[in-house]
Amino acid sequence: KMEDVPLSLRRGPRGELLAQGAEARVFATMLGGRPAVVKERFVKAYRHPDIDIRLRSSRIAQEARMLLRARQAGVCAPTVLFADVNACALYLERIDGPTAKCFVQEHSPAEVRALGAAIGEGIALLHDAGIVHGDLTTSNMVVRGASVEQLVFIDFGLSQVTTQVKDLAVDLYVCEKALLSTHPDSDELVRLPLDG
């Protein structure tokens, strides 16, 4: 949670801290004169240092590969600008707009239905390409410019390639449970992506 992050870390040399998860922090930054974000995987003190650096580096490389694969499949996902595996940092295009979670809370039922359909279409593209996202929540989708036609899937840190139908089914199950818990009053938001 952001409130658990010490104030000294909320604004670092990279810029404003935008988000923090269990494995990484995301900061606003500039790269080559363009707005960007940098996702930095931080050290886990409980792991042996050699294992820790290998895990963090390989996960940054894996996430970059998965983002590229998703984009090649036609999924709206951030452009990878630079992957620094030595620093365990991934520089990405900055996507401006509300998360799908915020969009649902602030828009009409018709707009939420359109969002649900867009979520379903994006998941179908991912799964048709054999990509399991691994964390399909409305917090990991950004509505670029508040237009559901530009729904951007983010945070591919848990993604993987699969040929197993059961892996895709688990991805949908996680998505359904996340939608039900976050948006209990939005039946169509839950139904539409799963129908897609």
Side-chain angles (χ1 to χ4, degrees):
K1 295 181 191 176
M2 290 291 282
E3 57 269 13
D4 295 336
V5 177
L7 287 174
S8 62
L9 292 177
R10 290 190 192 174
R11 184 143 185 88
R14 303 246 187 246
E16 176 188 356
L17 178 66
L18 301 175
Q20 177 171 334
E23 300 278 331
R25 291 183 189 100
V26 178
F27 294 93
T29 192
M30 297 291 285
L31 187 65
R34 54 190 292 200
V37 297
V38 58
K39 179 176 186 176
E40 296 179 335
R41 288 189 168 270
F42 47 81
V43 173
K44 292 292 199 169
Y46 62 84
R47 291 192 289 231
H48 186 280
D50 293 341
I51 293 171
D52 182 72
I53 189 68
R54 278 194 307 222
L55 277 173
R56 291 185 301 119
S57 294
S58 67
R59 288 177 179 167
I60 284 292
Q62 172 69 6
E63 185 167 2
R65 282 192 297 271
M66 296 308 297
L67 281 160
L68 293 170
R69 186 178 181 121
R71 288 178 57 84
Q72 289 170 343
V75 175
C76 282
T79 301
V80 175
L81 302 174
F82 179 64
D84 185 345
V85 294
N86 295 322
C88 304
L90 184 60
Y91 291 80
L92 304 168
E93 158 194 24
R94 181 162 183 168
I95 308 297
D96 291 320
T99 63
K101 179 180 179 180
C102 291
F103 185 92
V104 168
Q105 296 165 350
E106 299 168 359
H107 288 79
S108 71
E111 291 169 308
V112 171
R113 280 192 297 278
L115 175 65
I119 291 171
E121 291 168 12
I123 293 171
L125 287 171
L126 284 169
H127 287 183
D128 286 348
I131 298 170
V132 172
H133 183 278
D135 195 12
L136 286 170
T137 68
T138 51
S139 294
N140 286 333
M141 302 168 195
V142 177
V143 183
R144 187 192 315 254
S147 170
V148 295
E149 290 82 31
Q150 293 196 37
L151 180 68
V152 182
F153 287 77
I154 63 170
D155 195 356
F156 282 71
L158 297 175
S159 62
Q160 61 183 334
V161 175
T162 187
T163 57
Q164 301 293 312
V165 173
K166 69 178 181 175
D167 295 334
L168 302 175
V170 169
D171 210 31
L172 287 175
Y173 178 76
V174 169
C175 179
E176 178 184 29
K177 292 303 178 192
L179 291 172
L180 285 169
S181 68
T182 307
H183 309 285
D185 299 326
S186 297
D187 292 337
E188 289 194 66
L189 180 65
V190 175
R191 184 181 50 78
L192 284 167
L194 300 178
D195 288 347

